[in-house]
Amino acid sequence: MNRRDFLKSIGAGGLALTLPETAQAGQRGEELATLLDISKCIGCGACVEACRESNAHKFPEPTKPFPRMYPERVKAEDWSERRDVDDRLTPYNWLFIQTATVERGGESVELNIPRRCLHCVNPPCANLCPWGAAAKESNGIVRINADICLGGAKCRTVCPWSIPQRQTGVGLYLDLLPSLAGNGVMYKCDRCHDRIAQGELPACIEACPQDVQQIGPRSVMLERAHALAEEMGGFVYGERENGGTNTFYVFPVPFEELNAALDKGPGRPHLAEVEDVMGNDEHLARAVLAAPVVGVAAGVLTFVSAMRKGGRR
């Protein structure tokens, strides 16, 4: 038995109970949310390993050398030679463990926090992508369509946590204007949408030996998050941030303290309070006015992508 199978066998008992509820909610089109009890996470990395294994077939395989970009200030982002990096988000690592040491009860406590896309209720990445490459599904999953993404990184710019990461040298832009428009494809957690569609748990949840995560209808997960926070005297993050997300973290300490202790930077998100990006009148108006154009653009790019794939057969 390998390490992942061993860890799965330990944690399978409690997780199996959530599977029918999750599958039924997804089939009904209800938004699904995840609840993470950070007091349970031991930082073993089983979730990171499972995420990599389950999503490896979605990872980019870039063409080199990369097209020269104009203007030259547009830089290539290449992670293809650093695929083993697992201490931050990359196009090949959609989940990582962020660690913070804080004071609790007069003692230093180390907390481990699985970080990835929070799957916002009203995601700016999907609402403001100029090409319609990012979209939110009826079950609450926010996905980037790698077949039509041009790598412009608008999604990362408007994301309050700068989650999506770019890989140059891959995607549709190579067949359009590779030196003038686009710069690859953006990647992030898609909550194992293919597994969810089959009534299975996301790989990270299935593999966790500590039952850190649960998944189910948003209303149920939010109720459990508040009950858990009350039980431990803790705090909920994700309920209101950016107008609400479909990821709820329950911390035993204030998230302001955690945020101050985190190693933050590119690919390493913060835990600060976040205002609703789509609550901004300018962003909202832009999304409404651009919607018809974005829809047409997405349709055209989808057609071009299909022709591109057909030409390679």
Side-chain angles (χ1 to χ4, degrees):
M1 180 179 289
N2 62 32
R3 175 174 177 268
R4 182 185 173 193
D5 289 339
F6 173 70
L7 292 171
K8 282 168 61 179
S9 70
I10 296 174
L15 295 176
L17 298 176
T18 69
L19 183 55
E21 183 180 62
T22 300
Q24 292 166 12
Q27 291 168 1
R28 291 194 300 266
E30 294 184 31
E31 291 196 11
L32 301 172
T34 49
L35 164 60
L36 293 89
D37 181 354
I38 299 305
S39 69
K40 289 183 175 181
C41 186
I42 60 175
C44 68
C47 57
V48 178
E49 181 182 341
C51 177
R52 281 175 173 261
E53 289 183 10
S54 182
N55 293 295
H57 65 287
K58 305 171 188 174
F59 292 163
E61 294 296 338
T63 299
K64 296 182 180 181
F66 300 144
R68 184 176 180 179
M69 295 298 297
Y70 299 97
E72 293 188 358
R73 67 173 181 274
V74 178
K75 303 297 182 183
E77 294 183 46
D78 182 20
W79 289 91
S80 61
E81 304 300 325
R82 296 177 287 168
R83 302 186 188 206
D84 59 343
V85 171
D86 63 1
D87 64 348
R88 57 159 288 168
L89 298 173
T90 79
Y92 302 90
N93 197 64
W94 301 353
L95 166 68
F96 82 106
I97 304 296
Q98 202 169 24
T99 302
T101 301
V102 296
E103 294 294 321
R104 184 185 183 194
E107 297 182 357
S108 293
V109 178
E110 183 177 270
L111 294 173
N112 302 292
I113 311 162
R115 300 304 304 272
R116 41 90 174 144
C117 174
L118 280 80
H119 298 274
C120 298
V121 172
N122 194 14
C125 61
N127 291 321
L128 298 174
C129 174
W131 310 111
K136 177 187 173 185
E137 299 181 348
S138 60
N139 61 9
I141 294 175
V142 181
R143 294 174 53 197
I144 296 174
N145 185 344
D147 289 338
I148 64 174
C149 177
L150 300 178
K154 180 68 172 181
C155 54
R156 181 168 61 193
T157 300
V158 299
C159 173
W161 298 276
S162 302
I163 297 290
Q165 301 295 312
R166 177 166 54 198
Q167 174 60 48
T168 299
V170 64
L172 192 58
Y173 91 107
L174 294 172
D175 292 337
L176 299 177
L177 297 171
S179 294
L180 300 174
N183 196 2
V185 172
M186 307 301 294
Y187 293 90
K188 72 173 191 66
C189 162
D190 62 14
R191 193 180 273 168
C192 291
H193 73 94
D194 40 356
R195 293 172 62 94
I196 289 286
Q198 297 176 25
E200 300 176 358
L201 289 169
C204 60
I205 297 180
E206 183 182 84
C208 179
Q210 300 297 118
D211 287 359
V212 170
Q213 294 194 61
Q214 304 175 44
I215 185 170
R218 189 176 193 272
S219 59
V220 175
M221 293 298 102
L222 183 56
E223 183 178 351
R224 291 183 186 178
H226 280 291
L228 178 61
E230 183 176 355
E231 178 184 335
M232 73 166 66
F235 305 83
V236 179
Y237 186 88
E239 177 183 5
R240 297 184 178 85
E241 280 64 35
N242 195 33
T245 78
N246 282 319
T247 300
F248 306 128
Y249 290 101
V250 179
F251 300 119
V253 299
F255 52 80
E256 295 89 344
E257 296 181 16
L258 280 175
N259 188 55
L262 289 177
D263 178 14
K264 300 178 287 293
R268 298 183 177 94
H270 62 77
L271 277 172
E273 292 188 40
V274 175
E275 295 183 358
D276 184 0
V277 173
M278 293 311 301
N280 179 296
D281 290 343
E282 180 182 347
H283 287 160
L284 183 60
R286 185 182 306 170
V288 171
L289 292 174
V293 177
V294 171
V296 171
V300 171
L301 292 178
T302 299
F303 175 77
V304 173
S305 176
M307 295 292 291
R308 179 187 188 224
K309 290 181 178 180
R312 289 181 175 177
R313 293 174 184 170

